[in-house]
């Protein structure tokens, strides 16, 4: 097994086919196919299912993505340690839950790319918020942007800040006096929600239970970006992060903080040990941007 075989495998997996991967790498497609076939023979497992409409990662292929990425990161770190001047494209693999991908993830990645334009950032999303740490532990992603605290899983944590949920009401809603809305005032209200298993849903439901408040879930949306349009359309009230709430207010929504506040710390997590140059640079950038450096 050599570095080229592993990088070719990852390119095919990430581009979804040999032809697109060959074009991205600027290599002949037969060369790419032969290299992946040789890797499969060496591993004794089929990494892709060849189907009529393209390629699908096999179970073995999905399992190999994390170790393959770790291998390339290790080689990059080794070259850096010995002062090698061989240029290899630096890539940062970041996994984040959707609510943090919007804020602060988007602004952090954007400012990082402006500062480090030579680094390619791959942003992934876990199937559920609770599975994010698994992708980091198994090497699929080098860094995770997650709500804290996480279960004690041997991951290193870099705390960055606190995220707060606000309420967004349909335009024209009379929310009464006061800056913040007591959760008790939502008893019997029609609310919009995101699927179970997400930090946002779990955090809200726990707070409502503690206050003895019962609401009616009238719309459940898989895509959080649909919450604000639904609020503006009068479908119901939604809990959204503070930054999203302010954006919704500019479109006509009525927004208020919640009493008691719904806040949760967030930060970066990674496996113990040295980070790749790209990940190390991103951690330093995030700490400086969030004022924790």
């Amino acid at each position: 097994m050599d570095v080229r075989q592993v990088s070719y495998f990852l390119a095919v997996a990430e581009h979804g086919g040999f032809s697109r991967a060959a074009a991205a790498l600027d290599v002949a497609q037969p060369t790419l196919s032969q290299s992946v076939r040789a890797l499969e023979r060496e591993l004794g497992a089929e990494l892709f299912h060849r189907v009529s409409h393209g390629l699908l990662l096999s179970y073995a292929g999905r399992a190999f993505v994390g170790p393959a990425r770790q291998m390339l990161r290790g080689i990059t770190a080794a070259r850096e340690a010995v002062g090698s001047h061989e240029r290899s494209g630096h890539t940062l693999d970041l996994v984040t839950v959707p609510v943090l991908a919007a804020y602060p993830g988007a602004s952090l990645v954007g400012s990082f790319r402006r500062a480090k334009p030579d680094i390619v950032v791959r942003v992934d999303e876990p199937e559920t918020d609770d599975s994010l740490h698994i992708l980091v532990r198994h090497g699929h992603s080098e860094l995770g942007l997650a709500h804290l605290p996480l279960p004690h899983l041997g991951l290193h944590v870099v705390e960055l800040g606190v995220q707060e949920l606000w309420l967004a009401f349909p335009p024209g809603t009379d929310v009464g006096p006061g800056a913040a809305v007591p959760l008790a005032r939502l008893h019997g209200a029609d609310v919009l929600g995101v699927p179970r298993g997400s930090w946002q849903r779990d955090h809200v439901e726990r707070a409502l239970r503690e206050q003895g408040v019962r609401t009616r879930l009238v719309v459940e949306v898989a895509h959080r970006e649909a919450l604000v349009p639904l609020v503006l359309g009068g479908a119901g009230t939604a809990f959204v992060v503070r930054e999203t709430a302010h954006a919704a207010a500019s479109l006509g929504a009525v927004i208020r903080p919640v009493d008691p506040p719904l806040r949760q710390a967030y930060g970066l997590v990674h496996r113990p040990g040295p980070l790749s140059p790209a990940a190390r640079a991103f951690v330093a950038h995030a700490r400086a941007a969030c004022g924790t450096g």
Side-chain angles (χ1 to χ4, degrees), residues 3 17 31 110 115 133 148 175 216 224 242 254 267 271:
V3 177
T31 300
H133 64 273
L148 305 175
V175 296
R216 292 189 298 270
R224 290 164 176 79
R242 179 179 56 199
V254 177
R271 290 155 53 104

Side-chain angles (χ1 to χ4, degrees), residues 25-255:
L25 295 171
D26 195 23
V27 299
Q29 184 172 332
T31 300
L32 199 62
S33 300
Q34 291 165 14
S35 179
V36 172
R37 286 288 192 189
L39 179 61
E40 289 177 318
R41 287 194 298 271
E42 188 168 345
L43 292 173
E46 188 178 56
L47 300 174
F48 296 98
H49 295 306
R50 279 78 172 171
V51 294
S52 59
H53 57 277
L55 293 176
L56 294 173
L57 275 169
S58 66
Y59 177 82
R62 292 195 300 274
F64 187 55
V65 167
R69 287 180 173 173
Q70 285 186 67
M71 187 184 305
L72 295 189
R73 291 183 205 121
I75 290 168
T76 300
R79 286 172 174 160
E80 182 190 54
V82 300
S84 171
H85 296 294
E86 180 175 338
R87 288 190 59 82
S88 57
H90 289 318
T91 301
L92 170 66
D93 293 305
L94 173 70
V95 60
T96 177
V97 295
V99 70
L100 286 172
Y103 182 86
S107 60
L108 285 177
V109 171
S111 58
F112 179 71
R113 282 283 303 126
R114 291 193 297 274
K116 302 284 185 181
D118 58 321
I119 296 178
V120 175
V121 182
R122 285 191 296 243
V123 181
D124 202 359
E125 178 184 326
E127 290 186 8
T128 65
D129 291 9
D130 291 340
S131 65
L132 179 145
H133 64 273
I134 297 173
L135 296 178
V136 177
R137 287 182 66 200
H138 292 177
H140 186 280
S141 291
E142 189 173 11
L143 294 178
L145 182 58
H147 288 105
L148 305 175
L150 285 178
H152 181 66
L153 298 164
L155 296 177
H156 185 73
V157 175
V158 180
E159 190 163 339
L160 295 177
V162 175
Q163 193 168 63
E164 182 174 356
L165 292 174
W166 280 35
L167 283 164
F169 298 90
T173 302
D174 181 5
V175 296
V181 173
L183 279 178
R185 196 177 295 172
L186 295 178
H187 192 79
D190 292 344
V191 299
L192 317 177
V194 293
R196 292 189 183 277
S198 68
W199 161 81
Q200 188 171 336
R201 172 83 172 257
D202 294 344
H203 197 47
V204 167
E205 289 188 344
R206 184 166 55 249
L208 292 173
R209 283 196 304 271
E210 290 173 354
Q211 297 289 318
V213 176
R214 289 182 176 274
T215 59
R216 292 189 298 270
L217 180 65
V218 293
V219 180
E220 182 178 279
V221 291
H223 302 291
R224 290 164 176 79
E225 58 269 23
L227 280 176
V228 169
L230 285 166
V231 169
L232 295 173
T237 300
F239 289 86
V240 296
V241 297
R242 179 179 56 199
E243 293 74 18
T244 300
H246 286 303
S250 69
L251 298 173
V254 177
I255 66 169

